[in-house]
CSV table of all heavy atoms in Angstrom, one decimal:
chain,number,residue,atom,x,y,z
A,1,VAL,N,-39.7,-14.2,-9.6
A,1,VAL,CA,-38.9,-14.1,-8.4
A,1,VAL,C,-39.8,-14.3,-7.2
A,1,VAL,O,-40.9,-13.7,-7.1
A,1,VAL,CB,-38.2,-12.8,-8.3
A,1,VAL,CG1,-37.5,-12.6,-7.0
A,1,VAL,CG2,-37.2,-12.6,-9.5
A,2,CYS,N,-39.4,-15.1,-6.3
A,2,CYS,CA,-40.2,-15.4,-5.1
A,2,CYS,C,-39.5,-14.9,-3.9
A,2,CYS,O,-38.3,-15.3,-3.7
A,2,CYS,CB,-40.4,-17.0,-5.0
A,2,CYS,SG,-41.4,-17.5,-3.7
A,3,SER,N,-40.1,-14.1,-3.1
A,3,SER,CA,-39.5,-13.7,-1.8
A,3,SER,C,-39.8,-14.7,-0.7
A,3,SER,O,-40.8,-15.3,-0.8
A,3,SER,CB,-40.0,-12.3,-1.5
A,3,SER,OG,-41.3,-12.3,-1.1
A,4,SER,N,-38.9,-14.7,0.2
A,4,SER,CA,-39.2,-15.6,1.4
A,4,SER,C,-39.6,-14.7,2.5
A,4,SER,O,-38.8,-14.1,3.2
A,4,SER,CB,-37.9,-16.4,1.7
A,4,SER,OG,-36.8,-15.5,2.1
A,5,ASP,N,-40.9,-14.6,2.7
A,5,ASP,CA,-41.5,-13.9,3.8
A,5,ASP,C,-41.5,-14.8,5.0
A,5,ASP,O,-41.9,-15.9,4.9
A,5,ASP,CB,-42.9,-13.4,3.4
A,5,ASP,CG,-43.0,-12.5,2.2
A,5,ASP,OD1,-42.0,-11.8,2.0
A,5,ASP,OD2,-44.0,-12.6,1.5
A,6,LEU,N,-41.2,-14.3,6.1
A,6,LEU,CA,-41.1,-15.1,7.3
A,6,LEU,C,-41.7,-14.3,8.5
A,6,LEU,O,-41.1,-13.3,8.9
A,6,LEU,CB,-39.7,-15.5,7.6
A,6,LEU,CG,-39.5,-16.5,8.7
A,6,LEU,CD1,-40.4,-17.7,8.6
A,6,LEU,CD2,-38.1,-16.9,8.8
A,7,VAL,N,-42.9,-14.7,8.9
A,7,VAL,CA,-43.4,-14.0,10.1
A,7,VAL,C,-42.7,-14.5,11.3
A,7,VAL,O,-42.6,-15.7,11.5
A,7,VAL,CB,-45.0,-14.4,10.2
A,7,VAL,CG1,-45.5,-13.8,11.5
A,7,VAL,CG2,-45.7,-13.8,9.0
A,8,LYS,N,-42.1,-13.6,12.1
A,8,LYS,CA,-41.4,-14.0,13.2
A,8,LYS,C,-42.3,-14.0,14.5
A,8,LYS,O,-42.1,-14.9,15.3
A,8,LYS,CB,-40.2,-12.9,13.5
A,8,LYS,CG,-39.2,-12.9,12.4
A,8,LYS,CD,-38.5,-14.2,12.3
A,8,LYS,CE,-37.4,-14.2,11.3
A,8,LYS,NZ,-36.6,-15.5,11.3
A,9,VAL,N,-43.2,-13.1,14.6
A,9,VAL,CA,-44.0,-13.0,15.8
A,9,VAL,C,-45.4,-12.4,15.3
A,9,VAL,O,-45.4,-11.5,14.5
A,9,VAL,CB,-43.5,-12.0,16.9
A,9,VAL,CG1,-44.4,-12.0,18.1
A,9,VAL,CG2,-42.1,-12.4,17.3
A,10,ALA,N,-46.5,-13.1,15.8
A,10,ALA,CA,-47.8,-12.5,15.5
A,10,ALA,C,-48.6,-12.8,16.8
A,10,ALA,O,-49.2,-13.8,17.0
A,10,ALA,CB,-48.4,-13.2,14.3
A,11,THR,N,-48.6,-11.8,17.7
A,11,THR,CA,-49.3,-11.9,18.9
A,11,THR,C,-50.1,-10.6,19.1
A,11,THR,O,-50.0,-9.6,18.4
A,11,THR,CB,-48.4,-12.1,20.1
A,11,THR,OG1,-47.5,-10.9,20.2
A,11,THR,CG2,-47.6,-13.3,20.0
A,12,SER,N,-50.8,-10.5,20.2
A,12,SER,CA,-51.5,-9.3,20.5
A,12,SER,C,-50.5,-8.2,20.8
A,12,SER,O,-49.7,-8.4,21.7
A,12,SER,CB,-52.4,-9.5,21.8
A,12,SER,OG,-53.0,-8.3,22.1
A,13,GLY,N,-50.5,-7.1,20.1
A,13,GLY,CA,-49.6,-6.0,20.3
A,13,GLY,C,-48.3,-6.1,19.5
A,13,GLY,O,-47.5,-5.2,19.6
A,14,LEU,N,-48.1,-7.2,18.7
A,14,LEU,CA,-46.8,-7.3,18.0
A,14,LEU,C,-47.0,-8.2,16.7
A,14,LEU,O,-47.4,-9.3,16.8
A,14,LEU,CB,-45.7,-7.9,18.8
A,14,LEU,CG,-44.4,-8.1,18.1
A,14,LEU,CD1,-43.8,-6.8,17.6
A,14,LEU,CD2,-43.4,-8.8,19.0
A,15,TYR,N,-46.6,-7.6,15.6
A,15,TYR,CA,-46.5,-8.4,14.3
A,15,TYR,C,-45.1,-8.0,13.8
A,15,TYR,O,-44.8,-6.9,13.7
A,15,TYR,CB,-47.5,-8.0,13.3
A,15,TYR,CG,-47.3,-8.7,12.0
A,15,TYR,CD1,-47.8,-10.0,11.7
A,15,TYR,CD2,-46.6,-8.0,11.0
A,15,TYR,CE1,-47.5,-10.6,10.5
A,15,TYR,CE2,-46.3,-8.7,9.8
A,15,TYR,CZ,-46.8,-9.9,9.6
A,15,TYR,OH,-46.5,-10.6,8.4
A,16,ALA,N,-44.3,-9.0,13.6
A,16,ALA,CA,-42.9,-8.8,13.1
A,16,ALA,C,-42.6,-9.8,12.0
A,16,ALA,O,-43.0,-11.0,12.1
A,16,ALA,CB,-41.9,-9.0,14.2
A,17,ALA,N,-42.0,-9.3,10.9
A,17,ALA,CA,-41.7,-10.2,9.8
A,17,ALA,C,-40.4,-9.7,9.2
A,17,ALA,O,-40.0,-8.6,9.3
A,17,ALA,CB,-42.8,-10.1,8.7
A,18,VAL,N,-39.7,-10.7,8.5
A,18,VAL,CA,-38.5,-10.4,7.8
A,18,VAL,C,-38.7,-10.9,6.3
A,18,VAL,O,-39.2,-12.0,6.1
A,18,VAL,CB,-37.3,-11.1,8.4
A,18,VAL,CG1,-36.0,-10.9,7.6
A,18,VAL,CG2,-37.1,-10.7,9.8
A,19,VAL,N,-38.4,-10.1,5.3
A,19,VAL,CA,-38.6,-10.4,3.9
A,19,VAL,C,-37.2,-10.5,3.3
A,19,VAL,O,-36.5,-9.5,3.2
A,19,VAL,CB,-39.4,-9.4,3.2
A,19,VAL,CG1,-39.6,-9.7,1.8
A,19,VAL,CG2,-40.8,-9.2,3.9
A,20,ASP,N,-36.9,-11.7,2.8
A,20,ASP,CA,-35.6,-11.9,2.0
A,20,ASP,C,-34.4,-11.5,2.8
A,20,ASP,O,-33.4,-11.1,2.2
A,20,ASP,CB,-35.6,-11.2,0.7
A,20,ASP,CG,-36.6,-11.9,-0.3
A,20,ASP,OD1,-36.9,-13.0,-0.1
A,20,ASP,OD2,-37.0,-11.2,-1.2
A,21,GLN,N,-34.4,-11.5,4.1
A,21,GLN,CA,-33.3,-11.0,4.9
A,21,GLN,C,-32.8,-9.6,4.5
A,21,GLN,O,-31.7,-9.2,4.8
A,21,GLN,CB,-32.1,-12.0,4.9
A,21,GLN,CG,-32.4,-13.3,5.6
A,21,GLN,CD,-32.7,-13.1,7.0
A,21,GLN,OE1,-32.0,-12.4,7.8
A,21,GLN,NE2,-33.8,-13.8,7.5
A,22,ARG,N,-33.7,-8.8,3.9
A,22,ARG,CA,-33.3,-7.5,3.5
A,22,ARG,C,-34.2,-6.4,4.2
A,22,ARG,O,-33.7,-5.3,4.4
A,22,ARG,CB,-33.5,-7.3,2.0
A,22,ARG,CG,-32.4,-8.0,1.2
A,22,ARG,CD,-32.6,-7.7,-0.3
A,22,ARG,NE,-31.6,-8.4,-1.1
A,22,ARG,CZ,-30.4,-7.9,-1.4
A,22,ARG,NH1,-30.0,-6.8,-0.9
A,22,ARG,NH2,-29.6,-8.6,-2.1
A,23,VAL,N,-35.4,-6.8,4.5
A,23,VAL,CA,-36.3,-5.8,5.1
A,23,VAL,C,-37.0,-6.5,6.3
A,23,VAL,O,-37.4,-7.7,6.2
A,23,VAL,CB,-37.4,-5.4,4.1
A,23,VAL,CG1,-38.4,-4.5,4.8
A,23,VAL,CG2,-36.8,-4.7,3.0
A,24,ALA,N,-37.1,-5.8,7.4
A,24,ALA,CA,-37.8,-6.3,8.6
A,24,ALA,C,-38.8,-5.3,9.1
A,24,ALA,O,-38.5,-4.1,8.9
A,24,ALA,CB,-36.8,-6.7,9.7
A,25,VAL,N,-39.9,-5.7,9.6
A,25,VAL,CA,-40.9,-4.8,10.0
A,25,VAL,C,-41.4,-5.2,11.4
A,25,VAL,O,-41.6,-6.4,11.7
A,25,VAL,CB,-42.1,-4.6,9.0
A,25,VAL,CG1,-41.7,-4.0,7.7
A,25,VAL,CG2,-42.8,-5.9,8.8
A,26,ARG,N,-41.8,-4.2,12.2
A,26,ARG,CA,-42.4,-4.4,13.5
A,26,ARG,C,-43.6,-3.5,13.5
A,26,ARG,O,-43.5,-2.3,13.2
A,26,ARG,CB,-41.5,-4.0,14.6
A,26,ARG,CG,-42.3,-4.1,16.0
A,26,ARG,CD,-41.5,-3.3,17.1
A,26,ARG,NE,-41.4,-1.9,16.8
A,26,ARG,CZ,-42.3,-0.9,17.2
A,26,ARG,NH1,-43.4,-1.2,17.7
A,26,ARG,NH2,-42.0,0.3,16.9
A,27,ILE,N,-44.8,-4.1,13.8
A,27,ILE,CA,-46.0,-3.3,13.8
A,27,ILE,C,-46.7,-3.6,15.2
A,27,ILE,O,-46.9,-4.8,15.5
A,27,ILE,CB,-47.0,-3.7,12.7
A,27,ILE,CG1,-46.4,-3.4,11.4
A,27,ILE,CG2,-48.3,-2.9,12.9
A,27,ILE,CD1,-47.1,-3.9,10.2
A,28,GLY,N,-46.9,-2.6,16.0
A,28,GLY,CA,-47.6,-2.7,17.3
A,28,GLY,C,-46.7,-2.1,18.3
A,28,GLY,O,-45.6,-1.7,18.1
A,29,PRO,N,-47.3,-2.0,19.5
A,29,PRO,CA,-46.6,-1.3,20.6
A,29,PRO,C,-45.5,-2.0,21.3
A,29,PRO,O,-44.7,-1.5,22.1
A,29,PRO,CB,-47.8,-0.9,21.6
A,29,PRO,CG,-48.7,-2.0,21.4
A,29,PRO,CD,-48.7,-2.3,19.9
A,30,VAL,N,-45.4,-3.3,21.1
A,30,VAL,CA,-44.4,-4.2,21.8
A,30,VAL,C,-43.1,-4.0,21.1
A,30,VAL,O,-43.0,-4.1,19.8
A,30,VAL,CB,-44.9,-5.7,21.8
A,30,VAL,CG1,-43.8,-6.5,22.4
A,30,VAL,CG2,-46.2,-5.8,22.6
A,31,SER,N,-42.0,-3.9,21.8
A,31,SER,CA,-40.7,-3.7,21.3
A,31,SER,C,-40.1,-5.0,20.7
A,31,SER,O,-40.4,-6.1,21.2
A,31,SER,CB,-39.7,-3.2,22.4
A,31,SER,OG,-38.4,-3.0,21.9
A,32,TRP,N,-39.4,-4.9,19.6
A,32,TRP,CA,-38.8,-6.0,18.9
A,32,TRP,C,-37.8,-5.5,17.9
A,32,TRP,O,-37.9,-4.4,17.4
A,32,TRP,CB,-39.9,-6.8,18.1
A,32,TRP,CG,-39.5,-8.0,17.3
A,32,TRP,CD1,-39.4,-9.2,17.7
A,32,TRP,CD2,-39.0,-8.0,15.9
A,32,TRP,NE1,-38.9,-10.1,16.7
A,32,TRP,CE2,-38.7,-9.3,15.6
A,32,TRP,CE3,-38.8,-7.0,14.9
A,32,TRP,CZ2,-38.2,-9.7,14.3
A,32,TRP,CZ3,-38.4,-7.3,13.7
A,32,TRP,CH2,-38.0,-8.7,13.4
A,33,LYS,N,-36.8,-6.3,17.6
A,33,LYS,CA,-35.8,-6.0,16.6
A,33,LYS,C,-35.3,-7.3,16.0
A,33,LYS,O,-35.3,-8.3,16.6
A,33,LYS,CB,-34.7,-5.1,17.2
A,33,LYS,CG,-33.8,-5.8,18.2
A,33,LYS,CD,-32.7,-4.9,18.6
A,33,LYS,CE,-31.7,-5.6,19.5
A,33,LYS,NZ,-30.6,-4.7,19.9
A,34,PRO,N,-34.8,-7.2,14.7
A,34,PRO,CA,-34.3,-8.4,14.1
A,34,PRO,C,-33.0,-8.8,14.6
A,34,PRO,O,-32.2,-8.0,15.0
A,34,PRO,CB,-34.2,-8.0,12.6
A,34,PRO,CG,-34.1,-6.5,12.6
A,34,PRO,CD,-34.9,-6.0,13.8
A,35,ALA,N,-32.8,-10.1,14.6
A,35,ALA,CA,-31.5,-10.6,15.1
A,35,ALA,C,-30.4,-10.5,13.9
A,35,ALA,O,-30.8,-10.4,12.8
A,35,ALA,CB,-31.6,-12.1,15.5
A,36,GLY,N,-29.2,-10.5,14.3
A,36,GLY,CA,-28.1,-10.5,13.3
A,36,GLY,C,-27.6,-9.1,13.1
A,36,GLY,O,-28.1,-8.1,13.7
A,37,ASP,N,-26.5,-9.0,12.3
A,37,ASP,CA,-25.8,-7.7,12.1
A,37,ASP,C,-26.3,-7.1,10.8
A,37,ASP,O,-26.9,-7.7,9.9
A,37,ASP,CB,-24.3,-8.0,12.0
A,37,ASP,CG,-23.7,-8.5,13.3
A,37,ASP,OD1,-24.2,-8.2,14.4
A,37,ASP,OD2,-22.8,-9.3,13.2
A,38,GLY,N,-25.9,-5.8,10.7
A,38,GLY,CA,-26.1,-5.1,9.4
A,38,GLY,C,-27.5,-4.4,9.2
A,38,GLY,O,-27.7,-3.8,8.2
A,39,TRP,N,-28.4,-4.5,10.2
A,39,TRP,CA,-29.7,-3.9,10.1
A,39,TRP,C,-29.6,-2.4,10.5
A,39,TRP,O,-28.9,-2.1,11.4
A,39,TRP,CB,-30.7,-4.5,11.0
A,39,TRP,CG,-31.0,-5.9,10.7
A,39,TRP,CD1,-30.6,-7.1,11.3
A,39,TRP,CD2,-31.9,-6.4,9.6
A,39,TRP,NE1,-31.2,-8.2,10.7
A,39,TRP,CE2,-32.0,-7.8,9.7
A,39,TRP,CE3,-32.7,-5.7,8.7
A,39,TRP,CZ2,-32.7,-8.5,8.8
A,39,TRP,CZ3,-33.4,-6.4,7.8
A,39,TRP,CH2,-33.5,-7.8,7.8
A,40,ARG,N,-30.3,-1.6,9.7
A,40,ARG,CA,-30.4,-0.1,10.1
A,40,ARG,C,-31.8,0.3,9.9
A,40,ARG,O,-32.5,-0.2,9.1
A,40,ARG,CB,-29.4,0.7,9.2
A,40,ARG,CG,-29.9,0.9,7.8
A,40,ARG,CD,-29.0,1.9,7.0
A,40,ARG,NE,-29.6,2.1,5.7
A,40,ARG,CZ,-30.6,3.0,5.4
A,40,ARG,NH1,-31.2,3.7,6.4
A,40,ARG,NH2,-31.0,3.1,4.2
A,41,VAL,N,-32.2,1.2,10.8
A,41,VAL,CA,-33.6,1.7,10.8
A,41,VAL,C,-33.8,2.5,9.5
A,41,VAL,O,-33.0,3.5,9.3
A,41,VAL,CB,-33.9,2.5,12.1
A,41,VAL,CG1,-35.3,3.1,12.0
A,41,VAL,CG2,-33.8,1.6,13.3
A,42,GLY,N,-34.8,2.2,8.7
A,42,GLY,CA,-35.1,2.9,7.5
A,42,GLY,C,-36.2,3.9,7.8
A,42,GLY,O,-36.3,4.9,7.2
A,43,ALA,N,-37.2,3.5,8.7
A,43,ALA,CA,-38.3,4.4,9.0
A,43,ALA,C,-38.9,3.9,10.3
A,43,ALA,O,-38.8,2.7,10.6
A,43,ALA,CB,-39.4,4.3,7.9
A,44,GLU,N,-39.4,4.9,11.1
A,44,GLU,CA,-40.0,4.5,12.3
A,44,GLU,C,-41.0,5.6,12.7
A,44,GLU,O,-40.9,6.7,12.3
A,44,GLU,CB,-39.0,4.2,13.4
A,44,GLU,CG,-38.2,5.4,13.9
A,44,GLU,CD,-37.2,5.1,14.9
A,44,GLU,OE1,-37.4,4.2,15.7
A,44,GLU,OE2,-36.1,5.7,14.9
A,45,GLY,N,-42.0,5.1,13.5
A,45,GLY,CA,-43.0,6.0,14.0
A,45,GLY,C,-43.7,5.4,15.2
A,45,GLY,O,-43.3,4.4,15.7
A,46,THR,N,-44.9,5.9,15.5
A,46,THR,CA,-45.6,5.3,16.6
A,46,THR,C,-46.1,3.9,16.2
A,46,THR,O,-46.7,3.7,15.2
A,46,THR,CB,-46.9,6.2,16.9
A,46,THR,OG1,-46.5,7.5,17.1
A,46,THR,CG2,-47.7,5.7,18.0
A,47,ASN,N,-45.6,3.0,17.0
A,47,ASN,CA,-46.0,1.6,16.9
A,47,ASN,C,-45.5,0.9,15.6
A,47,ASN,O,-46.1,-0.1,15.2
A,47,ASN,CB,-47.5,1.4,17.0
A,47,ASN,CG,-48.0,1.7,18.4
A,47,ASN,OD1,-47.2,1.6,19.4
A,47,ASN,ND2,-49.2,2.1,18.5
A,48,TYR,N,-44.5,1.4,15.0
A,48,TYR,CA,-43.9,0.7,13.8
A,48,TYR,C,-42.4,1.0,13.6
A,48,TYR,O,-42.0,2.1,14.0
A,48,TYR,CB,-44.7,0.9,12.5
A,48,TYR,CG,-44.3,2.2,11.8
A,48,TYR,CD1,-43.3,2.2,10.9
A,48,TYR,CD2,-45.0,3.4,12.1
A,48,TYR,CE1,-42.9,3.4,10.2
A,48,TYR,CE2,-44.6,4.6,11.5
A,48,TYR,CZ,-43.6,4.6,10.6
A,48,TYR,OH,-43.3,5.8,10.0
A,49,THR,N,-41.7,0.1,13.1
A,49,THR,CA,-40.3,0.3,12.7
A,49,THR,C,-40.0,-0.6,11.5
A,49,THR,O,-40.5,-1.7,11.4
A,49,THR,CB,-39.3,-0.1,13.8
A,49,THR,OG1,-39.6,0.5,15.0
A,49,THR,CG2,-37.9,0.3,13.4
A,50,VAL,N,-39.3,0.0,10.5
A,50,VAL,CA,-38.8,-0.8,9.3
A,50,VAL,C,-37.3,-0.7,9.3
A,50,VAL,O,-36.7,0.3,9.4
A,50,VAL,CB,-39.4,-0.1,8.0
A,50,VAL,CG1,-38.9,-0.9,6.8
A,50,VAL,CG2,-40.9,-0.1,8.1
A,51,TRP,N,-36.7,-1.9,9.2
A,51,TRP,CA,-35.2,-2.0,9.1
A,51,TRP,C,-34.9,-2.4,7.7
A,51,TRP,O,-35.6,-3.2,7.1
A,51,TRP,CB,-34.7,-3.1,10.1
A,51,TRP,CG,-34.8,-2.7,11.5
A,51,TRP,CD1,-33.9,-2.1,12.3
A,51,TRP,CD2,-35.9,-3.0,12.4
A,51,TRP,NE1,-34.3,-2.0,13.6
A,51,TRP,CE2,-35.6,-2.5,13.7
A,51,TRP,CE3,-37.2,-3.6,12.2
A,51,TRP,CZ2,-36.5,-2.7,14.8
A,51,TRP,CZ3,-38.0,-3.7,13.3
A,51,TRP,CH2,-37.7,-3.3,14.5
A,52,GLU,N,-33.7,-2.0,7.3
A,52,GLU,CA,-33.2,-2.4,6.0
A,52,GLU,C,-31.8,-3.0,6.2
A,52,GLU,O,-31.1,-2.6,7.1
A,52,GLU,CB,-33.0,-1.2,5.1
A,52,GLU,CG,-34.3,-0.4,4.9
A,52,GLU,CD,-34.1,0.9,4.2
A,52,GLU,OE1,-33.0,1.5,4.4
A,52,GLU,OE2,-35.0,1.3,3.5
A,53,ARG,N,-31.4,-3.9,5.3
A,53,ARG,CA,-30.1,-4.4,5.3
A,53,ARG,C,-29.6,-4.6,3.9
A,53,ARG,O,-30.2,-5.2,3.1
A,53,ARG,CB,-30.1,-5.8,6.0
A,53,ARG,CG,-28.7,-6.4,6.0
A,53,ARG,CD,-28.5,-7.4,7.1
A,53,ARG,NE,-29.4,-8.6,7.0
A,53,ARG,CZ,-29.4,-9.5,7.9
A,53,ARG,NH1,-28.6,-9.5,8.9
A,53,ARG,NH2,-30.3,-10.5,7.8
A,54,SER,N,-28.5,-3.9,3.5
A,54,SER,CA,-28.0,-3.9,2.2
A,54,SER,C,-27.4,-5.3,1.8
A,54,SER,O,-27.4,-5.7,0.6
A,54,SER,CB,-27.0,-2.8,1.9
A,54,SER,OG,-25.9,-2.9,2.8
A,55,ASN,N,-26.8,-6.0,2.7
A,55,ASN,CA,-26.2,-7.2,2.4
A,55,ASN,C,-26.8,-8.3,3.2
A,55,ASN,O,-26.6,-8.5,4.4
A,55,ASN,CB,-24.7,-7.2,2.7
A,55,ASN,CG,-24.0,-8.5,2.4
A,55,ASN,OD1,-24.6,-9.5,2.0
A,55,ASN,ND2,-22.7,-8.5,2.5
A,56,PRO,N,-27.8,-9.1,2.6
A,56,PRO,CA,-28.5,-10.1,3.4
A,56,PRO,C,-27.7,-11.2,3.9
A,56,PRO,O,-28.1,-12.0,4.7
A,56,PRO,CB,-29.6,-10.6,2.4
A,56,PRO,CG,-29.0,-10.4,1.1
A,56,PRO,CD,-28.1,-9.1,1.2
A,57,ASN,N,-26.4,-11.4,3.5
A,57,ASN,CA,-25.6,-12.4,4.0
A,57,ASN,C,-24.8,-12.1,5.2
A,57,ASN,O,-24.1,-12.9,5.8
A,57,ASN,CB,-24.6,-12.8,2.9
A,57,ASN,CG,-25.3,-13.3,1.6
A,57,ASN,OD1,-26.2,-14.1,1.7
A,57,ASN,ND2,-24.8,-12.9,0.5
A,58,VAL,N,-24.9,-10.9,5.7
A,58,VAL,CA,-24.3,-10.4,6.9
A,58,VAL,C,-25.1,-10.8,8.1
A,58,VAL,O,-26.3,-10.5,8.2
A,58,VAL,CB,-24.1,-8.9,6.9
A,58,VAL,CG1,-23.5,-8.4,8.3
A,58,VAL,CG2,-23.1,-8.5,5.8
A,59,GLY,N,-24.5,-11.5,9.0
A,59,GLY,CA,-25.2,-11.8,10.3
A,59,GLY,C,-26.4,-12.7,10.2
A,59,GLY,O,-27.3,-12.5,11.0
A,60,THR,N,-26.5,-13.6,9.3
A,60,THR,CA,-27.7,-14.4,9.2
A,60,THR,C,-27.7,-15.7,10.0
A,60,THR,O,-28.6,-16.4,10.1
A,60,THR,CB,-28.0,-14.8,7.7
A,60,THR,OG1,-26.9,-15.5,7.2
A,60,THR,CG2,-28.3,-13.5,6.9
A,61,ALA,N,-26.5,-16.0,10.6
A,61,ALA,CA,-26.4,-17.2,11.4
A,61,ALA,C,-27.5,-17.3,12.5
A,61,ALA,O,-28.0,-18.4,12.7
A,61,ALA,CB,-25.0,-17.3,12.0
A,62,GLY,N,-27.9,-16.2,13.1
A,62,GLY,CA,-28.9,-16.3,14.1
A,62,GLY,C,-30.2,-15.7,13.7
A,62,GLY,O,-31.0,-15.2,14.5
A,63,ALA,N,-30.5,-15.7,12.4
A,63,ALA,CA,-31.6,-15.0,11.9
A,63,ALA,C,-32.9,-15.5,12.4
A,63,ALA,O,-33.9,-14.8,12.4
A,63,ALA,CB,-31.6,-15.1,10.3
A,64,SER,N,-33.0,-16.7,12.9
A,64,SER,CA,-34.3,-17.2,13.4
A,64,SER,C,-34.5,-16.9,14.9
A,64,SER,O,-35.5,-17.2,15.5
A,64,SER,CB,-34.4,-18.7,13.2
A,64,SER,OG,-33.4,-19.4,13.9
A,65,GLY,N,-33.5,-16.2,15.5
A,65,GLY,CA,-33.5,-15.9,16.9
A,65,GLY,C,-34.1,-14.6,17.3
A,65,GLY,O,-33.7,-14.1,18.4
A,66,GLU,N,-34.9,-14.0,16.5
A,66,GLU,CA,-35.4,-12.7,16.8
A,66,GLU,C,-36.2,-12.8,18.1
A,66,GLU,O,-36.9,-13.8,18.3
A,66,GLU,CB,-36.3,-12.1,15.7
A,66,GLU,CG,-35.5,-11.6,14.6
A,66,GLU,CD,-35.2,-12.7,13.6
A,66,GLU,OE1,-35.5,-13.9,13.8
A,66,GLU,OE2,-34.6,-12.3,12.5
A,67,LYS,N,-36.2,-11.7,18.9
A,67,LYS,CA,-36.9,-11.8,20.2
A,67,LYS,C,-37.6,-10.5,20.5
A,67,LYS,O,-37.2,-9.5,20.1
A,67,LYS,CB,-35.9,-12.0,21.4
A,67,LYS,CG,-35.1,-13.3,21.3
A,67,LYS,CD,-34.1,-13.4,22.4
A,67,LYS,CE,-33.3,-14.7,22.2
A,67,LYS,NZ,-32.2,-14.7,23.2
A,68,ALA,N,-38.8,-10.6,21.1
A,68,ALA,CA,-39.4,-9.4,21.6
A,68,ALA,C,-38.6,-9.0,22.8
A,68,ALA,O,-38.1,-9.7,23.6
A,68,ALA,CB,-40.9,-9.8,22.1
A,69,LEU,N,-38.5,-7.6,22.9
A,69,LEU,CA,-37.7,-7.1,24.0
A,69,LEU,C,-38.5,-6.7,25.2
A,69,LEU,O,-39.6,-6.4,25.1
A,69,LEU,CB,-37.0,-5.8,23.5
A,69,LEU,CG,-36.0,-6.0,22.3
A,69,LEU,CD1,-35.4,-4.7,21.8
A,69,LEU,CD2,-34.9,-7.0,22.7
């Protein structure tokens, strides 16, 4: 099984990636969140957030449009 890892942002202060449209991560002090519907925060702390989505087919139309906030 091959996962589709997709780095969304990799800059000073922010690394963000989405894996199989099921898990998204933000590492760093810069704010960011995944685009689309159905994401819920699974874990968060200082300079990181992990989102989970149970149905990867929900809200994927804009999946490439993630933005730093």
Side-chain angles (χ1 to χ4, degrees):
V1 173
C2 185
S3 68
S4 60
D5 300 325
L6 185 55
V7 175
K8 297 296 186 176
V9 181
T11 63
S12 178
L14 175 61
Y15 174 83
V18 177
V19 180
D20 290 339
Q21 291 299 314
R22 291 185 180 272
V23 175
V25 296
R26 174 197 60 88
I27 301 170
V30 177
S31 182
W32 179 90
K33 66 179 184 176
D37 298 326
W39 293 104
R40 71 171 187 83
V41 173
E44 64 183 329
T46 304
N47 294 333
Y48 80 91
T49 308
V50 178
W51 291 267
E52 303 169 329
R53 180 158 59 181
S54 59
N55 183 352
N57 297 319
V58 173
T60 57
S64 64
E66 286 85 356
K67 298 179 184 171
L69 299 176

